[in-house]
Amino acid sequence: MAVVSAPRAVRAPSSTPPRSPAPRRGRAAAARRRAGMLMVAPAFLHALIWIGIPVIAAFVLSFTSYDVLTQPRFIGVQNYLDAFGDPVFRRGMLNTLVYAFFTVPVAMAIALLIALMLDTQLRARALFRTAVFIPQVTATIAVALVWLWIYDPRSGLLNAGLSFFGLPAQNWLSSTTWAMPSVITVGIWQGIGLKMLIYLAALQSLPKDVYEAASVDGASRTRQFFSLTLPLLRPATFFVFVTSVISAFQAFDLIYILTDGGPANTTTMMTYEIYKSAFREFRVGYACAQSIVLFVFLLVLTLANRRLNGGDSGRH
Amino acid sequence: MELSRRSFLAAMGLGTATVMAGCATTSGSGAPVADVTGPAEGDITFLCALFEGATGKETLEGNLLKQFKEKYPDVNVTVDYTDYASLNEKITTGLASGLMPDVVTLGVGWIPPFAFKNAIAPLPESLATRYTYEDRVLEPSRFDGTLYALPMVLDTRIVAYRKDFFEEAGIDGPPKDWAELREIAKQLTVRDADGTLQRAGFDPFSIDLRQCWETFLFGNSGELFSADGREVLFDSPEGVAALQLFLDMVADGSADFSLTTEAGQPTTLQQGTSAIMMTNNSLYVQLQQQNPELIDKIGTFVLGNTGPAMLQGGTMISQSASSKNPAAARALVEFLGSPDAVLVAAEQRGSVPAISDLLDSDYVQGNPMVAFALENLDKARSEGGTPAWMEIREKIKPTLETAIVGQQTAQQAIAQLAGIADDAIARL
């Protein structure tokens, strides 16, 4: 009996907790929480000071007339009405959408193609990977300057190539027809490297046994690509898409160097208009409202994509 | 969750720069006029859009500021060099952060906006009479009749032409009005067998379209704004006709919007791809460096339709209203506005010195285009004239371009621009 009763006594609730392990676990958990909070604190403080406060300030200032030189004056939603009534900002919104529409999917497709090629046992593949990635780590200003020379109507490489084939020279950056495609081309070229790298990493982590099973079942390489590779790459695709859209919507330095938004506003973007409003025209309140519009654009696009693609959960 | 936060943070990052400006303390509104009764001493900063490059720095710090230091030993000057493209942004961020430089270079047209907001300090009228200035040179330095800046160097927009092309075509001399300009330009335009343009009769697009249109507006007796800067006057038949002239010449085939050159490259006139062009007086320095053999083949004239007009840009020196050492800042402004400093600055960048007394200097006499500009300063006109100019100036070029590329008529483009300018003025 004594043998039987002893375990009961152990399992029974005790009124003397200091000897039980539960509080020790609680203290350990609390210590872990404190340690975690301490480790997160620098990043949190950084985000609060350098992102949180400016974000709130931007939102508040977007309802004011503020020109840096005088005190902000509350004007309600006038800045937002001005933004949507401004044909140049509307043009900037349209151009940004067009730029994103062409640069994101096209660059993603090319990046995936290159990643698939570089995922094979290609000779000197490290060299190719580096070559594809170099534009990503080169300063955009330098990239833009190089492309300025390439696009130069008189001495540029592109028109020299056209001339070789007997084709007429074009004014790539001063023509309303060609300026936007020219900027998009540079944007695609510059953005491929990082996308390729993410896709390559994702490809190399795909489970090999699934492909072996598919081969045993007689699935062709094409069938394997569409039925296995693409679905398995969904988390990577979602990540690449979201970061690419954000990057496309932030396009600024290329425009600044290549076209200055011209000719006739055909290449101006939302970010460029924000910059001009704030730093060239002294309309900081208006620029804040334009920034909020851009933020809402990005938020809607990201949420819509998350809904459509099932997010980054990697459901297969 | 991770991606939503990422997109949120990234999007918000876009507005950070502008917001940081918004968080800062303002320095302009209601700022008291600088007290300069104390001794010139202390540390001051100078935001400088002149003296570019290593030679410019040596000229300023190794020469001019050494002289200044000898005269004012208790003043220490720190120079922040910039270019014109970034000058506006530098001033904006300086104002927003409460770190407005004590002394700053400003462009023509910039005085009314900064003076209106009390960002720069008034200067004593005596500074306007200590040397000889053309009235039109001093005009952009004033706001509401008060002097706010001293002009240092001018960059004039003139018309240059190839004398050899004129002689080949049997043309006696420069055109006297727009009708003659169009005829001569058509006559001098050269196309090859398949119609490709080899030489444009006239190149109005190698300088900024805003400045080019303004020159023609003034040459057609038009005005940008009313005297008080509160009314738009460029939406007049004169303003529309000035823009229409470019459209007509493009339609004639004697001008081509795509016929431009990058900064530093030989101009279309030097390349022989245009016979007449709107240019800057610094062309002479460019010719000396790139095509000295062309110097004798290039002539200049001041064109107008109902009257001759030459656009006058330039760089002025002004004092911040929020300077903590106003006496030192004033001393530097006065020093940099003196003939010795003005001449060195002009020579360093091939510009026209703003002081008429310097017409006889070796530099001016050795540079025919600078001498030409200085002799014609009575025909000079300046842009600006309204406190809303910083906003309006940004809109002029892209709006005019919409007409040049055929997206709307000259009348529509000018009307759109007038609407933008009206809105900007209404917000003052």
Side-chain angles (χ1 to χ4, degrees), chain A residues 39 71-72 78 90 102 191 194 197 201 208 226 256 267-268 284:
Chain A
M39 284 189 277
Q71 294 294 332
Q78 190 58 48
R90 285 206 307 267
F102 283 103
L194 187 63
L197 199 69
K208 300 286 183 270
F226 285 105
Y256 185 86
T267 59
T268 195
V284 175

Side-chain angles (χ1 to χ4, degrees), chain B residues 136-171:
Chain B
R136 285 187 167 175
V137 171
L138 271 186
E139 191 181 279
S141 300
R142 297 184 190 279
F143 175 65
D144 271 355
T146 303
L147 187 74
Y148 279 89
L150 292 178
M152 285 190 71
V153 297
L154 308 174
D155 289 302
T156 57
R157 276 68 177 174
I158 55 179
V159 194
Y161 68 104
R162 286 285 292 261
K163 293 177 186 172
D164 50 339
F165 295 160
F166 272 54
E167 283 171 16
E168 284 169 19
I171 300 168

Side-chain angles (χ1 to χ4, degrees), chain A residues 54-55 57-58 61 66-69 71 154 171 238 250 264-265 275 278-283 294-295 306, chain B residues 1 3 8 10-12 14 18-19 22 26 29 88-89 92 95 117 258 260 390-391 394-395 398 401 427:
Chain A
V55 165
L61 285 172
Y66 180 50
D67 63 0
V68 176
L69 296 158
Q71 294 294 332
R154 264 163 287 281
N171 296 294
F238 177 75
Q250 290 176 332
N265 297 315
Y275 155 76
F279 294 108
R280 289 191 185 171
E281 300 172 14
F282 290 80
R283 295 184 71 191
L294 174 60
F295 164 68
R306 189 178 174 81
Chain B
M1 190 63 190
L3 289 171
F8 176 81
M12 280 294 91
L14 288 170
T18 53
V19 174
T26 56
S29 181
N88 197 347
E89 287 97 294
T92 310
L95 285 165
K117 303 285 187 182
S258 64
T260 57
M390 301 309 282
E391 181 182 343
E394 288 297 320
K395 309 288 190 190
E401 278 181 350
R427 276 193 289 272

Side-chain angles (χ1 to χ4, degrees), chain A residues 93 109 112 146 153:
Chain A
M93 285 194 263
L112 178 57
V146 169

